[in-house]
Amino acid sequence: MKEGMRYTKQRLAILQQIESSSGHHDAESIYTNIRAKNLNVSRATVYRTLDMLDKNRLIRKLDVGDGRIRYESRKENDHHDHMICLETGDIIEFFDEELERIQDKIAKKHGYKVIRHSHQLFVKPIK
Amino acid sequence: MKEGMRYTKQRLAILQQIESSSGHHDAESIYTNIRAKNLNVSRATVYRTLDMLDKNRLIRKLDVGDGRIRYESRKENDHHDHMICLETGDIIEFFDEELERIQDKIAKKHGYKVIRHSHQLFVKPIK
DNA sequence: GTTGTTGCAAATACTTTGCAACTAT
DNA sequence: ATAGTTGCAAAGTATTTGCAACAAC
């Protein structure tokens, strides 16, 4: 963490919670899971901490478009995008080198550089 | 529109509002602009109508990730994605054939077909 | 001891909903 | 006439904020 920041049990618990499962966690489930372990946190702290962890690039923020923001670990810091199954709600991760390259090319053509991107495929199983 | 649906002045006003400017409108500005013309609408109707217009593919829904959903016309029904400038908030449209092709390929590889997708580049001007 | 952090409760922002009144067909 | 649509106000959901108490350094 950066200068002047403190390691509190709440922060560690939140980070652990996210790194525990390599899944896609939302604020409420993080809050509930920590409380279930009889550790004390408030929703306010969860939200504030998630924001701070994201800004410090310790976790990754993920807007699936359903009104609840998800967060995932950056431990295996392989960048990837997501495919969301419209029938089951499953979230599948994917990565494609070419896709990344094309994005940069498009931005450049317009005089911009890509800082980050959000790319989701909403899919259904074949057949 | 589909069977059993009615043309009301509210619906037409909302659709016109969106088609008036080929921009990226949010619910609140649509509501305000219609009211400014002394036409009567409620926010409830705006939200209900936007939802219905999107489902009927008369407009396109667009989640920029800032908490306010945008809607755009489908009149020139060229599909495109968006690039959002982090410095100015400008929204630039782009389309790339290859990008589309790769997305389908990726989904297929996992046993899915793409129903729709959401692809945004968050960018900054070069230099 | 100082400064960052927390918990609480209240506030905010956007969107949705129940229901009775209304209106397009 | 009747079924779809509207407006209102209340409710809902996710998130943010002010502030006094508290804990890390």
Side-chain angles (χ1 to χ4, degrees):
Chain A
M1 300 200 192
K2 81 167 73 125
E3 191 52 41
M5 282 199 163
R6 290 171 185 182
Y7 282 91
T8 64
K9 27 182 176 324
Q10 286 85 349
R11 288 184 175 174
L12 294 185
I14 292 166
L15 188 53
Q16 268 169 33
Q17 192 51 229
I18 293 170
E19 300 199 326
S20 70
S21 78
S22 83
H24 307 89
H25 313 263
D26 61 86
E28 189 64 21
S29 74
I30 292 167
Y31 171 74
T32 311
N33 287 329
I34 293 176
R35 294 225 135 194
K37 289 181 188 158
N38 291 320
L39 300 175
N40 206 48
V41 227
S42 64
R43 282 193 182 77
T45 296
V46 171
Y47 280 105
R48 280 188 286 230
T49 301
L50 289 173
D51 197 46
M52 170 252 135
L53 290 173
D54 174 53
K55 290 203 168 107
N56 285 282
R57 306 184 63 76
L58 293 169
I59 60 176
R60 188 182 292 120
K61 198 175 187 169
L62 170 59
D63 185 350
V64 181
D66 67 351
R68 245 171 315 138
I69 292 169
R70 309 301 158 83
Y71 295 88
E72 62 181 11
S73 173
R74 259 184 206 276
K75 264 198 341 212
E76 303 87 20
N77 73 322
D78 52 339
H79 159 68
H80 56 255
D81 296 304
H82 299 89
M83 200 177 310
I84 297 107
C85 179
L86 292 168
E87 289 183 2
T88 63
D90 288 354
I91 300 179
I92 299 110
E93 301 175 349
F94 70 86
F95 174 78
D96 186 286
E97 197 72 67
E98 208 181 350
L99 220 48
E100 307 289 316
R101 206 174 42 67
I102 295 174
Q103 293 180 74
D104 291 341
K105 186 193 75 189
I106 293 169
K108 196 171 189 178
K109 191 167 66 189
H110 290 264
Y112 293 98
K113 60 174 181 293
V114 178
I115 303 301
R116 60 190 178 82
H117 72 264
S118 156
H119 193 181
Q120 274 119 239
L121 308 181
F122 295 90
V123 301
K124 287 194 179 177
I126 295 173
K127 244 154 291 155
Chain B
M1 299 200 193
K2 79 167 75 125
E3 191 53 39
M5 282 199 163
R6 290 171 185 182
Y7 281 90
T8 65
K9 25 181 177 327
Q10 287 85 348
R11 288 184 176 175
L12 294 185
I14 293 167
L15 188 52
Q16 268 168 32
Q17 192 51 228
I18 292 169
E19 301 198 327
S20 70
S21 79
S22 83
H24 306 90
H25 313 263
D26 61 86
E28 189 64 20
S29 73
I30 292 167
Y31 171 74
T32 310
N33 286 329
I34 292 176
R35 293 225 134 193
K37 290 181 187 158
N38 292 318
L39 299 175
N40 206 49
V41 227
S42 64
R43 283 194 181 76
T45 296
V46 171
Y47 281 105
R48 279 188 286 230
T49 301
L50 289 173
D51 196 46
M52 172 250 134
L53 291 173
D54 174 53
K55 291 206 168 103
N56 285 282
R57 307 183 63 77
L58 293 168
I59 59 176
R60 189 182 292 120
K61 198 176 190 171
L62 169 60
D63 186 349
V64 180
D66 68 351
R68 243 170 317 138
I69 291 170
R70 309 300 158 84
Y71 295 88
E72 63 181 11
S73 172
R74 259 183 206 275
K75 261 197 346 210
E76 303 86 21
N77 74 321
D78 53 339
H79 158 68
H80 56 255
D81 295 304
H82 298 88
M83 201 177 310
I84 297 108
C85 178
L86 292 167
E87 288 183 3
T88 63
D90 288 353
I91 301 179
I92 299 109
E93 301 176 348
F94 70 87
F95 174 77
D96 187 286
E97 196 72 66
E98 208 182 348
L99 221 49
E100 306 290 315
R101 206 175 42 67
I102 296 174
Q103 293 180 72
D104 291 341
K105 187 193 75 188
I106 294 169
K108 195 172 189 178
K109 191 168 65 189
H110 290 264
Y112 294 98
K113 60 174 180 292
V114 178
I115 303 302
R116 59 191 179 80
H117 72 264
S118 156
H119 193 180
Q120 273 118 240
L121 308 182
F122 296 90
V123 301
K124 288 194 180 176
I126 295 173
K127 244 150 292 159

